[in-house]
Amino acid sequence: MDDQFYREIYNKHQLVDAVPSNKEITAWALQVIRLLFPEQSKQDYIDFKQVKNEFIRLENELAYILNATRACRDCNNELLAKLFFEEMPDLFRVLNSDIQAIFNGDPAARSEFEVIRTYPGFFAISFYRLAHSLYKHEVPLLPRILTEWAHSKTGIDIHPAAQIDEYFYIDHGTGIVIGESCIIGKHVKLYQGVTLGALSVEKSMAYSKRHPTVEDNVVIYAGATILGGETVIGHDSIIGGNVWLTKSVPAHSTVYHKSEISVFKKKKV
């Protein structure tokens, strides 16, 4: 390799935007989740004042991370951090609704503790809800870092811009994809391998509604693919496994994929 190549790489290093490491950002998010849900940690507090001080510390840490991110240099980062933590009681309430939906919906769940501590669906949802709150405040980059890190841990890919209402239940979860402009109502249940995606990935459609809307009380079974920004799954519908949908279905629908399976008994030789 000649010196020109080394200079090119050196110049890239000088031009790259400053941002704290993914490890630092995700460690902050984990601390927030573990403070809200001590089932995930062993931290002991003497009184509520220590808990209050921990929230204040995490708010200051968020402001520090934002200040260290070049894309946030023109933002009022202390105010953004304050607004984020002012919304924490409602975020906690919504996350508890997700826990309740998972616990009530899964016969295998023995306790809410088990859901909080072990379920990848709750792990991915909790990171999504933190990221979505930051996204609503127009915080750049950090929301994607959080949801993609959760994606790498769980195989569940939720874009932070997606709008997901309360009592959201992901069962098993591996291979789920929820696109940027998805809108999901209350009491929706998704099984593994579900894709809520776009019909087209052309760059010109970046700011349009590309992903489907799923109304309240919908169950979507494993391997279903639902595409398109104009596609609406009406409330109280059931979408069967391996269904491919690119058009809307009315409320109270049942949609299933019909396949022919033949079973032959082996002949003894």
Side-chain angles (χ1 to χ4, degrees):
M1 294 184 289
D2 59 24
D3 286 351
Q4 181 58 36
F5 174 76
Y6 299 128
R7 290 192 185 96
E8 182 180 348
I9 300 302
Y10 170 78
N11 289 335
K12 283 178 64 67
H13 279 266
Q14 308 315 303
L15 295 173
V16 71
D17 279 352
V19 61
S21 69
N22 289 8
K23 182 178 180 180
E24 185 176 354
I25 294 165
T26 55
W28 166 82
L30 279 170
Q31 289 177 78
V32 173
I33 293 167
R34 288 169 180 168
L35 182 57
L36 294 174
F37 299 102
E39 296 88 344
Q40 295 191 8
S41 71
K42 292 184 177 181
Q43 182 66 48
D44 293 321
Y45 297 98
I46 296 172
D47 56 29
F48 81 93
K49 291 181 180 178
Q50 279 196 331
V51 173
K52 179 180 179 180
N53 289 335
E54 185 65 6
F55 274 110
I56 292 170
R57 184 188 71 79
L58 289 168
E59 179 181 325
N60 292 334
E61 187 172 333
L62 175 58
Y64 168 81
I65 289 170
L66 294 171
N67 284 327
T69 302
R70 185 176 295 176
C72 301
R73 63 182 178 273
D74 296 325
C75 306
N76 187 339
N77 294 319
E78 285 69 25
L79 177 60
L80 284 175
K82 180 179 177 61
L83 291 173
F84 174 84
F85 276 91
E86 282 180 350
E87 295 173 356
M88 194 59 61
D90 191 58
L91 189 147
F92 180 61
R93 179 190 63 80
V94 174
L95 280 170
N96 274 294
S97 79
D98 301 325
I99 294 166
Q100 185 180 338
I102 296 169
F103 176 67
N104 291 341
D106 187 358
R110 296 293 182 260
S111 65
E112 291 189 357
F113 184 102
E114 183 180 1
V115 171
I116 295 165
R117 187 68 173 263
T118 70
Y119 274 53
F122 177 68
F123 186 89
I125 291 168
S126 59
F127 264 75
Y128 154 76
R129 295 222 184 267
L130 287 182
H132 183 68
S133 184
L134 292 170
Y135 181 88
K136 287 190 300 182
H137 291 296
E138 299 182 348
V139 172
L141 195 58
L142 269 63
R144 284 305 297 271
I145 289 173
L146 293 178
T147 54
E148 290 302 334
W149 190 79
H151 178 197
S152 73
K153 296 295 181 182
T154 64
I156 299 167
D157 182 1
I158 310 175
H159 195 287
Q163 300 175 49
I164 304 176
D165 216 324
E166 48 193 69
Y167 295 96
F168 184 47
Y169 177 13
I170 289 176
D171 198 355
H172 304 296
T174 306
I176 283 177
V177 176
I178 301 174
E180 179 181 16
S181 57
C182 254
I183 300 173
I184 297 176
K186 294 180 175 68
H187 296 279
V188 169
K189 182 176 182 178
L190 305 183
Y191 284 84
Q192 67 272 20
V194 168
T195 297
L196 302 177
L199 277 168
S200 172
V201 293
E202 293 178 13
K203 200 67 177 177
S204 60
M205 298 181 66
Y207 300 102
S208 61
K209 176 83 165 66
R210 310 187 309 282
H211 305 93
T213 296
V214 179
E215 295 182 347
D216 297 348
N217 305 308
V218 169
V219 179
I220 306 176
Y221 282 98
T225 298
I226 304 171
L227 306 177
E230 296 182 1
T231 303
V232 178
I233 307 302
H235 63 83
D236 296 278
S237 291
I238 297 174
I239 309 301
N242 298 318
V243 163
W244 177 281
L245 270 179
T246 58
K247 61 182 180 180
S248 298
V249 299
H252 299 282
S253 295
T254 298
V255 183
Y256 62 92
H257 172 74
K258 187 175 182 180
S259 61
E260 185 175 336
I261 299 174
S262 300
V263 179
F264 299 95
K265 188 176 180 179
K266 286 185 176 180
K267 292 182 180 180
K268 290 184 178 179
V269 179

